[in-house]
């Protein structure tokens, strides 16, 4: 699997998720089998590049290659500048966001709104490719199937992107209007794959090895991208890799192994964000990690009252130690009789 000149370890990608796929989480996904992980989007607004949030997003220290940065905005010149800025900071792939449904980028509709304005989308693509090509950095595009049911133009946009020099397109199988509701559809992704020669990545609702195989078969895509199903379960990448290679399911991870991955992740997380803000932003990762586990909900609620990094790490370790006594491997069940035993952080 290649993106222009960049070779990837496999065809299992971690989706960019703002507020989630920061460097520690991307590194964890890559360690657990993702061949590629795109950063959270970085705004094209220059005045924000110095902000703590954006500079953290542009920090790739220690991350395994390739470094892929997603940029978002609505102005071609600003997007080109953002691409150059991120390439100078180590980006080896620049991804243009045309899929985000939120009205938050530049206080304007950016992201998927660009799908509605193909002329502007083309301008942005041209400008970003023009900046990246001399630096031998491939440009990729992430989009939805269209703006709404009656405006499904993913195929047209993918062709436009390919003609403009884009090296890969990812399609989330929903329209912008759908947000995250309903179900992703894969027919449009299959149509995009048929329409272009560049690699196509299928995304949306892939949450198991079986689904991964089904989506690859249904779309003919070159790769698949997983977002929400990796939250709290980053080992889904190696589960999928194993299943695609052997047709067999991996057993659930050992509980103590899952604990070790989470604790390591939390250390990295606190290292990037510092204790005060890190303890708070780590809570969502912890919440996802214990979701559906015995006593998980009560533990998550108790965890939200801890403001100290060391205490947070101790509580997490203690929860998983107690869980391991009962379940040597992570249980798939959502409720167990020993809820109370596991609920309280030590
Ligand atoms: C919390 C969250 C943040 C997201 N942020 C971004 C983003 O910054 N850029 C982007 O292109 N997509 C973003 N997405 C969309 C995902 O990359 C992905 O397309 C979508 O979640 C569908 O894949 P999934 O069903 O595997 O989660 C985000 C999704 C979620 C849930």
């Amino acid at each position: 699997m290649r993106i222009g000149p960049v070779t990837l370890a496999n065809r299992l990608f971690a989706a960019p998720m703002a507020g989630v796929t920061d460097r520690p989480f991307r590194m964890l996904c890559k360690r657990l089998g993702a061949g590629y992980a795109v950063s959270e989007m970085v705004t094209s607004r220059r005045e924000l590049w110095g902000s703590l949030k954006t500079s953290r997003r542009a920090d790739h220290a220690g991350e395994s290659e390739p470094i892929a940065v997603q940029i978002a905005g609505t102005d071609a010149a600003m997007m080109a500048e953002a691409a150059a800025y991120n390439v100078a900071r180590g980006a080896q792939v620049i991804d243009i966001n045309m899929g985000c449904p939120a009205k938050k980028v530049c206080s304007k509709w950016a992201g998927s709104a660009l799908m509605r304005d193909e002329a502007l989308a083309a301008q942005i693509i041209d400008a970003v490719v023009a900046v990246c090509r001399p630096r031998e950095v491939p440009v990729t595009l992430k989009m939805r199937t269209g703006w709404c049911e009656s405006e499904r133009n993913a195929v047209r946009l993918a062709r436009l992107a390919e003609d403009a020099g884009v090296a890969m397109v990812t399609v989330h199988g929903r329209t912008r209007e759908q947000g995250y509701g309903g179900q992703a559809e894969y027919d449009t992704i299959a149509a995009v794959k048929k329409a272009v020669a560049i690699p196509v990545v299928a995304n949306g609702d892939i949450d198991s090895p079986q689904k991964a195989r089904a989506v690859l078969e249904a779309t003919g895509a070159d790769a698949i991208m997983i977002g929400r199903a990796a939250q709290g379960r980053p080992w889904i990448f190696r589960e999928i890799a194993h299943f695609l290679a052997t047709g067999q399911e991996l057993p659930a991870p050992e509980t103590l192994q899952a604990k070790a991955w989470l604790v390591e992740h939390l250390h990295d997380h606190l290292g990037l964000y510092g204790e005060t803000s890190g303890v708070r932003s780590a809570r969502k990762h912890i919440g996802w990690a214990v979701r559906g586990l015995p006593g998980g909900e009560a533990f998550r609620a108790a965890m939200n009252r801890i403001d100290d990094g060391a205490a947070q790490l101790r509580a997490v370790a203690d929860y998983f130690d107690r869980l391991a006594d009962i379940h040597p491997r992570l249980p798939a069940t959502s409720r167990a009789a020993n809820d109370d035993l596991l609920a309280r952080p030590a």
Side-chain angles (χ1 to χ4, degrees):
M1 176 72 207
R2 297 172 65 89
I3 307 173
V6 176
T7 303
L8 306 179
N10 62 37
R11 53 185 178 152
L12 307 178
F13 297 0
M17 290 183 284
V20 182
T21 48
D22 51 15
R23 189 191 65 207
F25 189 73
R26 294 196 300 276
M27 286 169 70
L28 182 68
C29 291
K30 286 178 173 178
R31 263 203 311 282
L32 295 179
Y36 184 63
V38 188
S39 75
E40 314 159 86
M41 66 185 153
V42 172
T43 173
S44 61
R45 284 173 62 187
R46 176 183 251 287
E47 69 273 21
L48 297 179
W49 293 346
S51 74
L52 195 54
K53 183 171 161 186
T54 300
S55 56
R56 275 190 193 126
R57 287 188 178 185
D59 175 352
H60 309 289
E63 187 174 352
S64 62
E65 297 188 349
I67 306 299
V69 174
Q70 185 181 70
I71 56 173
T74 51
D75 178 272
M78 284 164 72
M79 287 288 273
E81 222 187 323
Y85 174 84
N86 283 288
V87 170
R89 270 150 198 79
Q92 294 160 307
V93 179
I94 292 289
D95 187 50
I96 300 175
N97 180 334
M98 291 200 188
C100 182
K103 188 182 180 179
K104 61 184 174 187
V105 188
C106 303
S107 316
K108 281 190 200 162
W109 292 105
S112 50
L114 294 178
M115 293 195 71
R116 240 189 161 177
D117 189 342
E118 290 177 23
L120 178 59
Q123 268 179 34
I124 288 177
I125 294 168
D126 285 343
V128 173
V129 169
V131 152
C132 291
R133 187 172 271 153
R135 295 165 167 87
E136 293 180 19
V137 169
V139 175
T140 62
L141 188 67
K142 179 158 177 287
M143 61 178 168
R144 289 182 170 236
T145 52
W147 176 260
C148 61
E149 185 64 34
S150 58
E151 292 177 48
R152 249 180 237 269
N153 57 344
V155 167
R156 211 165 49 236
L157 253 179
R159 283 204 182 109
L160 179 157
E162 179 177 42
D163 290 345
V166 163
M168 179 178 85
V169 292
T170 300
V171 186
H172 173 191
R174 286 185 173 84
T175 60
R176 184 260 147 206
E177 191 177 58
Q178 283 178 291
Y180 294 94
Q183 301 216 322
E185 54 91 5
Y186 306 108
D187 292 348
T188 306
I189 305 179
V192 169
K193 171 63 192 163
K194 282 206 185 81
V196 295
I198 51 176
V200 173
V201 185
N203 168 241
D205 296 353
I206 300 171
D207 58 1
S208 69
Q210 290 80 357
K211 184 83 183 261
R213 185 166 70 184
V215 171
L216 280 167
E217 282 171 2
T219 58
D222 302 275
I224 46 173
M225 177 179 274
I226 293 140
R228 289 164 298 171
Q231 294 172 347
R233 246 184 93 196
W235 50 83
I236 189 168
F237 296 103
R238 60 181 215 163
E239 290 180 342
I240 294 174
H242 184 82
F243 185 73
L244 292 179
T246 66
Q248 308 288 316
E249 280 182 52
L250 271 183
E254 288 175 5
T255 302
L256 292 180
Q257 178 62 77
K259 165 192 152 188
W261 287 327
L262 179 58
V263 167
E264 202 180 326
H265 177 204
L266 294 176
H267 271 294
D268 278 1
H269 187 94
L270 291 174
L272 180 64
Y273 294 97
E275 169 136 356
T276 312
S277 103
V279 166
R280 267 181 270 130
S281 51
R283 287 175 186 153
K284 60 177 174 283
H285 292 285
I286 298 170
W288 290 324
V290 303
R291 185 175 48 188
L293 293 177
E297 185 48 36
F299 177 76
R300 193 188 57 77
M303 175 62 50
N304 288 344
R305 295 190 289 274
I306 297 178
D307 289 316
D308 168 84
Q312 187 181 58
L313 284 165
R314 259 199 321 276
V316 166
D318 184 66
Y319 170 84
F320 278 92
D321 284 342
R322 285 180 289 149
L323 183 64
D325 286 344
I326 305 156
H327 298 282
R329 286 189 183 274
L330 279 188
T333 53
S334 62
R335 281 274 172 260
N338 42 30
D339 255 20
D340 283 349
L341 172 70
L342 295 161
R344 282 179 304 277

